[in-house]
Amino acid sequence: MPTPFQEHMQRVREARAREEQKQALVEKKPDAAEASATDYSKFELLKMSLEQDVRASKDVPRGKARDEMRDTTLLPRYLPHAEAYAASDEEYANPVLVWVMIWLLDAGRIEKAVPLAMLAIKQCQVMPNDFKRDLPVWVADEIRTWSENQFKAGHSPDPYFSDMFKALDEIDVPHVVTMKYQKLAGKIAFEQERYDDAVKHLTAANELGTSSHPAQVETLLEKAKKKAA
């Protein structure tokens, strides 16, 4: 049975090890990220550091201050681990991977976020407890929202939108998620004058719509049918 002093010293050693690991990742020391991806004891220390940082981030007001913490502290600290984990053959419950994915999508860094998101879906990782949607639905919604913003701005959301749309065939998500993808795919096809494709996607969206989640594509669908004819 350890004495109170021994327990205290163990906590001190663990806290020091966590801080050393944090600093190693921040300074991008050789092998720091790789070690935390494949060495479970180092990963446990990293996970404890993550929990502290997530709690601290929730005390920062939403908006510019929290975004700055995300971009200048959290992502530089934990992204190296997530990338090393993705490059390894490891597979275990990894909240670091999930939080990095969340932060990247929140920051709009889609090119780095999507590969990690697809890995998280494949490995059946789970969202943090305070998120109401499960991971595949949350990812699909975030990528669709980003894609809609790109489309409205006159930019192509591909390949990220199309890749996620195809992935929905293998992912168990509610019909409303698929409906919204069909609707956006129809809008994109119409804009690109691919009217047969527009009819196909908009019809599918209309069929997936419900009274509580209507697709609201009737007007555009009629236009697409006329153009296709």
Side-chain angles (χ1 to χ4, degrees):
M1 212 42 204
T3 66
F5 176 75
Q6 289 172 327
E7 291 177 345
H8 169 73
M9 291 306 297
Q10 179 64 24
R11 289 194 295 271
V12 169
R13 285 192 292 271
E14 289 174 353
R16 185 180 298 122
R18 289 196 299 272
E19 289 305 312
E20 289 175 353
Q21 178 129 352
K22 274 187 184 180
Q23 195 59 34
L25 287 168
V26 169
E27 295 174 2
K28 298 184 179 179
K29 289 184 177 179
D31 302 328
E34 289 79 359
S36 65
T38 57
D39 184 318
Y40 196 71
S41 62
K42 292 183 182 296
F43 172 71
E44 282 294 299
L45 292 174
L46 185 68
K47 188 167 69 170
M48 293 171 70
S49 296
L50 174 78
E51 291 167 356
Q52 291 179 344
D53 284 340
V54 168
R55 285 196 298 270
S57 72
K58 292 179 180 179
D59 293 332
V60 177
R62 290 182 180 274
K64 185 177 180 180
R66 191 178 293 190
D67 289 349
E68 184 176 352
M69 181 180 183
R70 175 198 67 205
D71 296 339
T72 62
T73 300
L74 299 175
L75 280 171
R77 182 170 291 166
Y78 297 105
L79 179 58
H81 165 85
E83 291 180 332
Y85 175 80
S88 73
D89 293 325
E90 300 291 330
E91 183 173 347
Y92 50 82
N94 192 334
V96 182
L97 170 70
V98 174
W99 271 110
V100 168
M101 173 202 77
I102 291 169
W103 292 325
L104 287 172
L105 282 170
D106 186 51
R109 295 174 61 180
I110 198 78
E111 73 287 347
K112 283 188 175 292
V114 169
L116 297 181
M118 299 312 293
L119 175 63
I121 291 172
K122 179 182 177 182
Q123 293 187 348
C124 299
Q125 301 285 346
V126 297
M127 293 293 283
N129 289 334
D130 50 352
F131 283 74
K132 295 181 180 179
R133 290 169 291 172
D134 64 18
L135 194 144
V137 174
W138 188 87
V139 168
D141 283 343
E142 290 296 308
I143 292 176
R144 178 185 51 78
T145 299
W146 176 88
S147 299
E148 286 178 341
N149 291 335
Q150 291 294 303
F151 174 66
K152 289 175 183 177
H155 307 305
S156 171
D158 284 333
Y160 309 109
F161 173 74
S162 292
D163 288 348
M164 189 69 223
F165 194 11
K166 292 176 184 175
L168 292 183
D169 291 338
E170 307 295 329
I171 300 172
D172 184 20
V173 295
H175 289 326
V176 64
V177 175
T178 307
M179 179 268 284
K180 291 178 180 178
Y181 268 79
Q182 292 283 8
K183 180 176 178 178
L184 181 54
K187 288 181 176 181
I188 293 171
F190 187 89
E191 184 72 19
Q192 295 175 347
E193 299 183 356
R194 295 185 290 109
Y195 300 118
D196 287 337
D197 288 338
V199 170
K200 178 183 72 174
H201 292 304
L202 295 170
T203 299
N206 211 27
E207 292 173 349
L208 288 166
T210 64
S211 58
S212 56
H213 295 100
Q216 297 180 318
V217 297
E218 290 84 355
T219 301
L220 186 59
L221 178 55
E222 288 305 311
K223 289 181 180 180
K225 287 179 177 178
K226 289 178 181 178
K227 292 284 188 179

